[in-house]
Amino acid sequence: TGKPKGVVLSHRNMVCGAESVSQYLQNRDSDRLLAVLPFSFDYGFSQLTTAFRVGASVGLMEYLLPRDIISALDRYEVTGLAAVPPLWIQLAGFDWPRKVVDRLRYITNSGGAMPTATLAKLRQKLPSTSVFLMYGLTEAFRSTYLDPAQVDVRPTSIGKAIPNAEILVVRPNGELCEPGEPGELVHRGALVSLGYWNDPEKTAVRFRPAPAAVSQIPLTELAVWSGDTVMRDEEGYLYFIGRHDEMIKTSGYRVSPTEIEEVVYATGLVAEAVAVGSPHPVLGKAIVVIGVPAHDAGGPTDALLTACRAALPSYMVPAHIQWLEALPRNANGKIDRPALAASVETLFAGSANE
């Protein structure tokens, strides 16, 4: 999602991460995983470490077209598949062979929020497959997962802490947030990494002492302060609101791109979409939605704006909609948000009367 940073992971981090993930995924030696994400991406590399931890096998695949993955699931007799939201959006549109559907024990999502419309399609195509919605940051390997039994109950939740981790929601002053109160996600435990490679300044920003409210040991315990805003409900389930540096401040409000994107995807008018902020002389930042139209939609700007006006408060309605044939991606397969934001940087230059 930005300029790459080298995160130093210890042997302890890797082993504890593999043990934690294989525990909640209930991996066993009979599992067959398909690795379609790059190994430079910690989520992709964890397919290897998780499998090694339990003696499972991994099929390696550098796919050209998403449809090829469906064929590989059959060829390798895959029981577990991990992917990121842009890939799930594409895979949800294909027909899945009966043999694949019957054999696939679980799928996992990380690297961004799974749109609820995409999740609904996958649940329909894979009725007996467990869906694990997860949240993670490379600085701490993985942080949360949602129990598959809760997916239909709270599909927008990122769940609770994975084994061997504690997840806190913290105010700017270091105090713990109350249920329903947004705050910064702070991760403490065995998975906290050793910092950024050759970058003590950035390390000091993200790796700081655990909040005083929970740290009662005499030596300083470092935690990862994620920079992500989340909220915990009364039952302890966490909900991702947005990255602090991706929040759009418009008309005096802080707006989460995820909230807008959920509404946009729910219309069925787009195949892929992101919401970004573009500098505006009056609003501060104007909301711009950049999307790829659904196959039968043909760039339906008016219909999409009408749907947004019906579902969103006025300050969250996009000021502009831009259509592309495809959205750019980074090396990890995620949508390249910084590139898209940069592409609309001067969209409203000189438009003080808009």
Side-chain angles (χ1 to χ4, degrees):
T1 53
K3 185 177 180 180
K5 300 182 289 289
V7 175
V8 184
L9 297 173
S10 67
H11 181 264
R12 178 191 187 212
N13 292 149
M14 301 302 292
V15 172
C16 288
E19 289 181 347
S20 178
V21 173
S22 61
Q23 181 178 331
Y24 68 76
L25 292 181
Q26 300 180 24
N27 286 115
R28 42 193 181 256
D29 58 7
S30 59
D31 272 328
R32 290 173 173 264
L33 312 186
L34 182 64
V36 299
L37 301 173
F39 293 148
S40 58
F41 183 17
D42 66 328
Y43 181 33
F45 190 69
S46 72
Q47 305 311 305
L48 284 182
T49 58
T50 301
F52 288 172
R53 176 66 184 82
V54 298
S57 60
V58 185
L60 308 182
M61 183 185 189
E62 188 174 7
Y63 68 92
L64 294 176
L65 300 172
R67 186 182 297 276
D68 297 336
I69 294 175
I70 305 294
S71 300
L73 292 173
D74 186 19
R75 184 168 69 254
Y76 290 112
E77 300 182 347
V78 171
T79 62
L81 178 65
V84 291
L87 182 53
W88 283 127
I89 290 169
Q90 294 175 296
L91 293 177
F94 297 134
D95 292 328
W96 293 61
R98 183 79 258 166
K99 287 189 296 183
V100 172
V101 172
D102 292 340
R103 187 183 297 119
L104 195 60
R105 186 170 67 81
Y106 71 83
I107 60 174
T108 68
N109 176 74
S110 192
M114 171 92 79
T116 52
T118 300
L119 177 60
K121 289 181 182 178
L122 289 168
R123 296 282 286 133
Q124 184 177 21
K125 293 176 182 291
L126 303 169
S128 60
T129 300
S130 295
V131 179
F132 289 85
L133 303 180
M134 308 184 301
Y135 164 91
L137 60 162
T138 307
E139 293 85 344
F141 185 76
R142 188 77 46 76
S143 294
T144 71
Y145 81 100
L146 182 65
D147 189 310
Q150 295 292 321
V151 168
D152 291 333
V153 179
R154 48 188 102 240
T156 59
S157 173
I158 58 174
K160 297 183 179 182
I162 66 172
N164 299 323
E166 182 178 13
I167 303 302
L168 310 169
V169 184
V170 180
R171 296 170 181 157
N173 64 3
E175 296 178 351
L176 300 183
C177 293
E178 297 294 330
E181 178 185 359
E184 183 174 1
L185 183 147
V186 177
H187 178 128
R188 66 190 290 244
L191 299 175
V192 173
S193 66
L194 303 182
Y196 298 123
W197 180 255
N198 286 336
D199 200 333
E201 292 183 2
K202 287 183 179 177
T203 297
V205 171
R206 284 282 171 258
F207 296 83
R208 308 203 304 274
V214 298
S215 185
Q216 299 175 351
I217 57 178
L219 296 178
T220 300
E221 177 195 6
L222 290 183
V224 176
W225 296 66
S226 68
D228 291 347
T229 302
V230 300
M231 184 271 292
R232 189 192 306 271
D233 67 16
E234 293 283 353
E235 298 179 63
Y237 288 93
L238 294 158
Y239 297 82
F240 181 83
I241 296 176
R243 290 193 60 84
H244 182 74
D245 53 4
E246 289 178 356
M247 298 290 278
I248 304 169
K249 191 170 184 180
T250 180
S251 301
Y253 297 93
R254 284 195 176 276
V255 175
S256 165
T258 305
E259 292 183 79
I260 301 169
E261 291 159 12
E262 278 290 344
V263 170
V264 170
Y265 276 119
T267 66
L269 298 172
V270 301
E272 289 186 319
V274 297
V276 297
S278 175
H280 192 282
V282 176
L283 302 176
K285 287 287 184 76
I287 296 171
V288 178
V289 168
I290 306 174
V292 176
H295 296 302
D296 57 350
T301 300
D302 292 341
L304 188 56
L305 283 173
T306 298
C308 287
R309 293 188 184 105
L312 295 168
S314 57
Y315 65 87
M316 291 177 64
V317 174
H320 180 76
I321 295 176
Q322 182 171 312
W323 301 103
L324 299 177
E325 291 185 3
L327 299 186
R329 285 169 167 70
N330 61 23
N332 293 342
K334 301 178 186 178
I335 294 172
D336 193 338
R337 288 177 179 271
L340 290 171
S343 73
V344 297
E345 187 75 17
T346 60
L347 185 63
F348 296 98
S351 58
N353 295 322
E354 289 193 22

